[in-house]
Amino acid sequence: MLRFALLNILTRPLRSFLALVGVAVAIAGVVGLISVSSGLKNTMTDTLDKVEGLVMIEANSVDPIFSSLPISYANRVEKIPGVAACVPEYWKVAPNVEGQKTLMGMFSAVVVLGLDPERHTRLSAGHVYSRSMKRGRNIEGQDAGKRRVVVSERIAKKYGKDVGGSIKVGELLYEIVGVYQTGSLFLDGTLVMHLDQAWAFAGISGKDVVTSFYVEPKVQSKEEMARIEKAIEDEFSKDPKKVDCLSTAEWQSEFGKLISNLDVFLVVVSSIAVIVGAIGILNTMLMSVTERIPEFGILKANGWSRGDVTRLVLVESTYLGIAGGLLGCSVGVAGVQIAARFMPFAPATPPSLVATAFGVGVVLGILGGVYPARHAAGLSPVEAIRAA
Amino acid sequence: MSLLRAVNLTKTFAIGSRPVEALRGVSIELPENSFTFVVGPSGSGKSTFMHLAGALERPTSGTIEVAGRDLGALSDDELSDFRREKLGFVFQAFNLIPNLNAVENVLVPFYAKGLAEGMREKAKEMLKRVGLGDRLDHRPRQLSGGEQQRVAIARALLKDPLLLLADEPTGELDSKTGAEIFALMRSLHREKGASVVVVTHDTRYIEPADRVIRIEDGRIVEEK
């Protein structure tokens, strides 16, 4: 029976191939989509793992970019017990680098970060950028009043720049003094400069407003972080500008919500792909069965029972499911590898995903065969043979 | 002992909402090792008789026994087993499976339950016996009509059936090839001892020793 089913598939190469492609496309789509989403998730988790402290922003602003707080808050935070240091940061989107727009792609955005180097020396673990220097030096006190930046390796490569060169941000030209690489997709889109240069870039003259603060606790523990977070939020609860303090864990849960929305979307898209695949294989099997009605009549006349014919059609569709699953997984994995070269982050294809996708292919094959198998098995041998 | 015994066999079909009586009370007995012609004009009910004798359809009323088994009392699966083990069929349109070669077509009845060891060799032997030793790997479309019918005969006889049922076996063949096919069936009949029932409206191949049953309008009108 297994041999006979295989023979039926191999001796009808075009139709078998079409059915197989139907399943493979669905499976490859599922593998590709889920790989990209897992990769995105990993990238976000990587980013957050690199930032150990708390980020303080204006209450109800989604991102430091949209936040605005008085710089004087830093001193008040540093007086809270358990806080080792509080350093102000000024974040600003750089919509134009070297005359090219940066906001066109989700992952090509460039932001400017203004730091106060004097205050940064108070951080015991340093800052994520100061820890990730590859060449040149970090922004220092001597850079006050000077148009100097530290750029990421990615930006340096993209614009063909390096230490000693200069880069045009907006309308202004900055000297590159250092190159860093954190390896995080989101962090590596930053141009680091002196705080007063970030203000100048943003066109702010007052020098008393920042977007956010980075707070380093003395002890790195979940409980201590939660305590400090509460203390900081209480400290500013009566001020006109209240603050939100977010730990890495909280950022992760915020991103988690975003990702779970993305997951719902992916599940919907994958389900559609799988349903299309199932309909494809059902259609092919049904066509194949309809076309072969006289053949099933011959089989039945020659002693094949209902069960035998059902098994034959199911085995054939299972073979197609297995082959389609294998092809789909191979194409999906290969496609993801190729796509990875053009993507700013690495997609993740865990073996469990491939195994599940393959399983889905096989199940698709079996399900696609059920109705046609029942149809073929129920034919009367005489009528089936007459259909020739 | 009789191989086939039919008593008051009727078969009614519904064509649209109109019932059509294909057989109207056929009673007949065929001895073992006989060569029988069932003749009659088109639409006389002779093919329906063959379908009932071949366990391909169930009678509307009456009983039909083949090799002592009451076919009306068997379940669908038992009928399948009976066809596979005891009966061989040869059809007018050959009814080979187009994507299988000659050897594979001969093995078709056996694929359902798995090929026993040596079956493939036996199939090749049978094809050689019907004169197709050099056509083993040919697909039906690469074979002439006569060759296709030889494959069908080989398929029917590989299982050593008790009864070979042939429905217009020469209907699509020229007279020379038709004569060859009958010669082949007769020699296998003598060799294997299987009873043969040939349903045909072509009476040229009847020999004096053969039994002849004439059916018209669903009734036996002549038997000798």
Side-chain angles (χ1 to χ4, degrees):
Chain A
M1 171 76 82
L2 298 179
R3 251 186 73 86
F4 188 68
L6 194 61
L7 211 57
N8 277 331
I9 286 182
L10 295 179
T11 50
R12 295 180 171 88
L14 180 65
R15 190 172 37 220
S16 306
F17 177 73
L18 289 177
L20 199 141
V21 166
V23 178
V25 166
I27 298 306
V30 170
V31 169
L33 284 171
I34 294 180
S35 296
V36 169
S37 113
S38 321
L40 193 60
K41 214 181 287 186
N42 290 349
T43 303
M44 289 185 173
T45 315
D46 277 0
T47 305
L48 294 167
D49 284 348
K50 288 182 168 40
V51 184
E52 295 103 346
L54 296 164
V55 175
M56 182 170 102
I57 58 173
E58 185 181 347
N60 302 322
S61 50
V62 198
D63 189 279
I65 296 275
F66 305 111
S67 156
S68 165
L69 290 170
I71 196 167
S72 57
Y73 276 21
N75 292 330
R76 286 169 66 186
V77 171
E78 284 190 343
K79 288 199 182 91
I80 292 169
V83 172
C86 175
V87 298
E89 295 177 340
Y90 193 93
W91 292 91
K92 177 82 187 165
V93 173
N96 192 308
V97 174
E98 289 287 307
Q100 298 172 23
K101 290 201 170 66
T102 62
L103 292 173
M104 300 309 282
M106 183 179 172
F107 300 106
S108 63
V110 175
V111 289
V112 164
L113 168 62
L115 298 175
D116 180 349
E118 306 294 338
R119 274 192 175 257
H120 265 77
T121 55
R122 300 187 198 180
L123 295 173
S124 61
H127 198 267
V128 58
Y129 295 111
S130 60
R131 270 179 295 163
S132 315
M133 291 306 294
K134 281 194 81 182
R135 293 190 293 284
R137 62 173 177 80
N138 208 346
I139 291 292
E140 293 167 359
Q142 50 158 320
D143 297 319
K146 306 227 168 62
R147 288 205 198 116
R148 288 174 181 162
V149 284
V150 172
V151 302
S152 68
E153 186 75 284
R154 192 173 90 211
I155 293 174
K157 271 199 184 130
K158 181 170 179 188
Y159 296 102
K161 304 290 180 182
D162 213 332
V163 177
S166 57
I167 186 164
K168 195 175 162 200
V169 186
E171 294 305 313
L172 302 171
L173 209 56
Y174 293 83
E175 181 196 344
I176 298 170
V177 296
V179 174
Y180 70 86
Q181 186 174 31
T182 66
S184 153
L185 175 62
F186 296 102
L187 296 174
D188 280 356
T190 308
L191 297 163
V192 186
M193 56 178 71
H194 196 283
L195 186 55
D196 66 3
Q197 289 303 307
W199 279 326
F201 176 76
I204 291 173
S205 52
K207 301 202 169 191
D208 54 358
V209 172
V210 290
T211 56
S212 51
F213 296 87
Y214 178 69
V215 181
E216 190 183 75
K218 282 179 180 156
V219 181
Q220 290 272 359
S221 80
K222 218 174 166 183
E223 295 73 28
E224 181 65 0
M225 297 270 256
R227 192 190 63 75
I228 291 174
E229 199 184 312
K230 175 120 193 349
I232 291 174
E233 284 176 3
D234 287 349
E235 167 71 23
F236 297 101
S237 64
K238 293 196 174 59
D239 284 84
K241 284 227 173 188
K242 298 176 183 46
V243 300
D244 273 344
C245 228
L246 293 167
S247 65
T248 306
E250 283 169 304
W251 281 109
Q252 260 168 354
S253 84
E254 290 290 316
F255 277 125
K257 283 178 206 156
L258 190 78
I259 284 287
S260 58
N261 287 339
L262 188 64
D263 279 348
V264 170
F265 169 74
L266 287 173
V267 165
V268 170
V269 173
S270 306
S271 308
I272 292 172
V274 166
I275 291 168
V276 169
I279 292 173
I281 201 166
L282 176 70
N283 184 39
T284 315
M285 289 309 297
L286 204 54
M287 261 175 54
S288 155
V289 164
T290 312
E291 231 175 80
R292 288 161 61 196
I293 281 177
E295 217 175 292
F296 293 116
I298 298 168
L299 295 181
K300 292 190 98 175
N302 279 287
W304 285 55
S305 66
R306 277 176 91 96
D308 294 331
V309 173
T310 306
R311 272 193 293 280
L312 174 69
V313 177
L314 280 180
V315 169
E316 286 181 21
S317 70
T318 306
Y319 278 151
L320 290 175
I322 290 173
L326 283 177
L327 181 67
C329 286
S330 315
V331 169
V333 170
V336 165
Q337 302 282 329
I338 293 168
R341 295 186 191 175
F342 305 102
M343 273 159 57
F345 62 92
T349 316
S352 60
L353 169 62
V354 179
T356 309
F358 174 67
V360 168
V362 177
V363 170
L364 269 188
I366 296 170
L367 289 182
V370 170
Y371 176 71
R374 289 174 61 94
H375 178 68
L379 297 167
S380 127
V382 173
E383 284 169 23
I385 288 175
R386 273 199 199 121
Chain B
M1 189 185 154
S2 65
L3 176 72
L4 185 147
R5 200 161 71 91
V7 180
N8 209 16
L9 210 52
T10 73
K11 178 72 183 176
T12 308
F13 296 104
I15 293 179
S17 56
R18 191 168 56 93
V20 174
E21 287 182 89
L23 288 183
R24 306 168 188 230
V26 167
S27 297
I28 192 174
E29 209 160 324
L30 299 179
E32 282 182 345
N33 204 13
S34 55
F35 203 106
T36 307
F37 279 83
V38 178
V39 297
S42 302
S44 59
K46 58 188 190 303
S47 284
T48 302
F49 172 74
M50 193 202 98
H51 296 153
L52 297 179
L56 293 170
E57 284 183 332
R58 291 170 186 279
T60 305
S61 67
T63 57
I64 180 157
E65 281 177 25
V66 177
R69 305 287 296 273
D70 178 359
L71 299 187
L74 299 183
S75 70
D76 281 353
D77 280 355
E78 286 168 330
L79 286 179
S80 297
D81 290 342
F82 188 76
R83 286 197 295 268
R84 191 179 58 253
E85 289 161 11
K86 312 282 188 205
L87 305 177
F89 292 94
V90 175
F91 297 95
Q92 178 174 0
F94 321 132
N95 287 344
L96 302 179
I97 294 183
N99 61 316
L100 301 183
N101 67 28
V103 176
E104 289 156 354
N105 262 295
V106 170
L107 289 169
V108 153
F110 303 93
Y111 278 119
K113 306 295 174 200
L115 289 190
E117 209 173 319
M119 275 322 267
R120 185 165 285 272
E121 289 314 308
K122 279 177 85 177
K124 288 179 186 170
E125 281 305 311
M126 184 56 81
L127 281 167
K128 283 176 195 158
R129 173 68 192 82
V130 299
L132 294 174
D134 55 347
R135 295 278 193 275
L136 301 179
D137 295 329
H138 286 52
R139 301 264 177 100
R141 65 168 182 278
Q142 298 166 309
L143 299 171
S144 70
E147 286 170 334
Q148 289 189 54
Q149 200 59 300
R150 285 166 192 267
V151 175
I153 291 170
R155 176 179 68 191
L157 293 177
L158 183 61
K159 63 182 89 165
D160 284 330
L162 287 174
L163 177 61
L164 174 69
L165 294 150
D167 189 3
E168 303 280 8
T170 57
E172 293 191 8
L173 303 176
D174 60 57
S175 56
K176 180 171 169 282
T177 315
E180 282 168 15
I181 290 296
F182 265 99
L184 177 64
M185 285 199 294
R186 284 187 190 282
S187 75
L188 289 168
H189 160 66
R190 280 192 296 274
E191 214 174 279
K192 303 244 172 201
S195 296
V196 178
V197 173
V198 180
V199 171
T200 184
H201 62 266
D202 187 346
T203 52
R204 284 176 293 173
Y205 306 108
I206 298 173
E207 290 184 2
D210 296 338
R211 296 175 65 84
V212 180
I213 295 159
R214 176 172 296 278
I215 296 184
E216 278 173 26
D217 295 328
R219 289 193 180 87
I220 294 176
V221 292
E222 188 188 345
E223 192 178 351
K224 74 172 182 67

